[in-house]
Amino acid sequence: MVDSETGRRRKYCKRSCRQRAYEQRAQLTGSSIPGASGPGLTIPPDAVILSASDVADFGDRMFALRCAAEDLATAVDEDADTATLAGLASELLARAREAERLR
């Protein structure tokens, strides 16, 4: 996502992200969330609701990302050769791209 130097920051990285946010807000209109009850309870408009399996998958991707970062840091500390560092850096980038997605 490229931000321009003028104006306010973009709220969504892509049109599809904006569309997914709209769809989630539309699903929440007039519905109740299981386990969320009580007077005056409101769901923020920017809330993201994930299933338990989506949360577990996201946690797994974050763990893989952290492991890739630790591998790269260890290789740098051990003065690894350039080819090894390049391979670990590309692996870290791949894990970061995977971790970006929520669905």
Side-chain angles (χ1 to χ4, degrees):
M1 172 173 69
V2 178
D3 286 330
S4 66
E5 293 183 18
T6 60
R8 59 185 170 151
R9 290 180 50 91
R10 296 176 69 175
K11 188 172 184 179
Y12 302 101
C13 58
K14 302 182 273 193
R15 284 184 170 272
S16 60
C17 292
R18 187 168 110 189
Q19 179 66 28
R20 297 295 89 74
Y22 166 78
E23 289 170 357
Q24 283 193 339
R25 286 192 309 275
Q27 284 179 343
L28 292 177
T29 304
S31 67
S32 63
I33 300 202
S37 60
L41 179 69
T42 58
I43 299 170
D46 61 345
V48 176
I49 299 173
L50 300 172
S51 68
S53 64
D54 287 341
V55 171
D57 290 344
F58 183 70
D60 291 344
R61 290 193 305 271
M62 295 309 301
F63 178 75
L65 176 62
R66 184 180 57 117
C67 289
E70 288 174 351
D71 290 346
L72 181 59
T74 300
V76 167
D77 289 343
E78 294 174 351
D79 294 325
D81 61 286
T82 305
T84 302
L85 292 175
L88 289 171
S90 67
E91 180 68 22
L92 177 62
L93 217 83
R95 297 291 164 237
R97 286 186 179 119
E98 282 179 30
E100 278 183 324
R101 64 181 174 79
L102 284 177
R103 290 185 178 192

